[in-house]
Amino acid sequence: MEYFIFRNELGQQVEFSLFSPYIFQWISESLASDIVSTKQIGQDGERAESWTLQARRITIQGSIIVREYHEELERNLLRILNPKLGAKLICHRDNSTKEIQVMLEELPSLKRRGGTIEFTINLIAHDPYWREVEKTEYLALLTKRLTFPAVIPQATGMIFGLRKSILETEVENIGDVATGFRVIFKAKGEVENVEVSDKLTGKKIKVLATMQKGDIIEVINFPKRKMVLFNGQKAFHLLDVAQSDFFTLEVGKNLLGYHAEKNAVNLDVVLFYSPLYLGR
C-alpha cells in the first residue's frame, strides 16, 4: 500500500491515505528536461550538447467525507499546506520510504461533490529527485572490547578494542544518479590533516587541521551545500583548496579511502549519503 505524508517546515503534517480523514485517490508527476542542441550547415538532425532536468511537478487528488467536523478538516488542510512554507513530501510504499523537498504552487483547491469535498494539491520540487533515507558507511571504527574485572595474561596480553580500519571501502550507490555525501572524522587521539578520497579517480577532499582527542571534523559535500565544520563551527578556511575536489558518489560501486598525515589509526570515519531516484 502506498500513502503520503506532507510535512511543512514547522513540523505540522497531514497524511493522505485510505485510513486518514484526507482520503488519498491518486498522484501524478511530471519531469521534463531541457536539451541544448546545435545544428551545423548541411547536418541532418541536430547534435545534443547538454541536458538537465527541470523542476518536478506533483499533483495529489483526494477527498474529505462531509461530516460535522469537515470545516475543521478544511481549515487544517489550508493551514498546514501553506504556500509560504517549505515542506517535504514523504512516500511510504511497502518497505520503502522516500522523500522530496516541495513547495505549494497555490492553495489547495476544494470542491464539494455530493457527500465529499474533493481537494487538489499542486506541488513543485525544484530539486527533482526523490531521496531515500540516509545510509551510513563506517570507513573506520573502534569497537570497545575491554570489560572489568579483567586479568591480563602475561604471555599473550589482551585485546582492548577492535578497529575496523580498512583504508579502502566499497560503497554502492543504488540510486539513479550520482549523489553527494557528508563525512565525519572523530579523533581518538592526536591526528593531523585528514582526507577522504575516491580511489578510482584520485579525487579527494583534504582538511588541514590538527585534531586532539574528542575533536570532530565534518565535511558536507552536496551540490548546493558545501561546508567544513570543526567541532560544529564553520571552518571552510581549513580546506586544502589546492588538493581538494568535491567529488560525488557515482551510480554503482565506488571505492573510497581515508587518510591522515599523522596517526590515521586514531580516527573514526563515518560516511552518510542518500541515494537519489528519478521516480518514487
Side-chain angles (χ1 to χ4, degrees):
M1 184 184 72
E2 185 178 47
Y3 68 96
F4 298 85
I5 293 176
F6 178 96
R7 182 180 299 144
N8 67 27
E9 63 186 40
L10 301 180
Q12 302 164 326
Q13 67 181 44
V14 175
E15 178 179 317
F16 304 107
S17 72
L18 295 177
F19 306 103
S20 167
Y22 305 98
I23 301 171
F24 172 71
Q25 293 178 341
W26 53 261
I27 183 173
S28 66
E29 301 182 64
S30 64
L31 181 59
S33 60
D34 286 321
I35 301 175
V36 177
S37 61
T38 58
K39 182 177 179 65
Q40 304 294 328
I41 297 176
Q43 175 186 346
D44 292 329
E46 297 178 335
R47 176 185 175 88
E49 299 292 346
S50 65
W51 46 93
T52 56
L53 296 178
Q54 296 181 9
R56 183 187 296 265
R57 259 72 183 186
I58 302 173
T59 299
I60 295 176
Q61 178 76 39
S63 61
I64 303 170
I65 296 177
V66 174
R67 295 191 178 114
E68 292 182 0
Y69 57 90
H70 72 271
E71 292 182 356
E72 179 182 341
L73 291 175
E74 291 179 54
R75 287 196 298 270
N76 187 60
L77 186 68
L78 297 177
R79 178 175 59 88
I80 295 176
L81 276 73
N82 184 339
K84 294 183 70 66
L85 297 176
K88 66 174 63 173
L89 183 66
I90 305 167
C91 173
H92 295 272
R93 176 191 286 176
D94 299 326
N95 296 321
S96 171
T97 300
K98 297 185 178 71
E99 62 183 43
I100 190 168
Q101 297 293 323
V102 295
M103 296 187 71
L104 272 294
E105 289 199 278
E106 57 190 359
L107 278 173
S109 170
L110 301 172
K111 295 180 181 179
R112 185 184 290 268
R113 294 185 184 274
T116 64
I117 298 171
E118 294 186 352
F119 59 82
T120 302
I121 300 168
N122 292 313
L123 305 171
I124 182 170
H126 294 95
D127 181 344
Y129 298 111
W130 286 91
R131 298 176 179 270
E132 199 170 6
V133 174
E134 191 173 60
K135 296 182 178 295
T136 304
E137 288 284 345
Y138 297 95
L139 306 188
L141 183 66
L142 180 65
T143 304
K144 295 180 180 180
R145 288 292 302 274
L146 181 63
T147 59
F148 291 94
V151 178
I152 301 177
Q154 293 184 356
T156 60
M158 176 173 285
I159 297 175
F160 284 80
L162 292 179
R163 167 165 290 277
K164 178 190 174 184
S165 185
I166 306 170
L167 296 180
E168 295 181 359
T169 301
E170 188 176 274
V171 176
E172 184 172 7
N173 175 9
I174 60 175
D176 297 332
V177 296
T179 185
F181 58 88
R182 61 189 183 95
V183 60
I184 291 178
F185 301 90
K186 183 175 181 179
K188 298 296 186 179
E190 185 177 350
V191 184
E192 288 185 7
N193 301 344
V194 299
E195 66 181 56
V196 60
S197 60
D198 182 332
K199 307 302 288 187
L200 298 179
T201 65
K203 295 180 179 180
K204 62 184 178 182
I205 304 171
K206 185 173 183 179
V207 180
L208 302 176
T210 299
M211 304 172 69
Q212 303 299 329
K213 183 177 180 180
D215 284 343
I216 295 176
I217 288 177
E218 180 176 6
V219 176
I220 300 173
N221 175 25
F222 297 112
K224 297 180 181 179
R225 185 176 177 229
K226 303 190 184 301
M227 298 180 66
V228 176
L229 303 176
F230 192 102
N231 292 333
Q233 302 299 313
K234 293 181 180 180
F236 203 84
H237 63 281
L238 297 178
L239 181 72
D240 186 343
V241 179
Q243 298 190 58
S244 296
D245 193 342
F246 284 95
F247 61 91
T248 57
L249 299 180
E250 298 300 322
V251 175
K253 294 179 180 179
N254 298 262
L255 190 60
L256 301 187
Y258 73 94
H259 180 66
E261 292 184 359
K262 181 179 179 181
N263 296 336
V265 71
N266 286 339
L267 280 174
D268 283 350
V269 186
V270 187
L271 181 86
F272 303 89
Y273 67 100
S274 297
L276 305 179
Y277 297 91
L278 292 170
R280 64 184 190 278

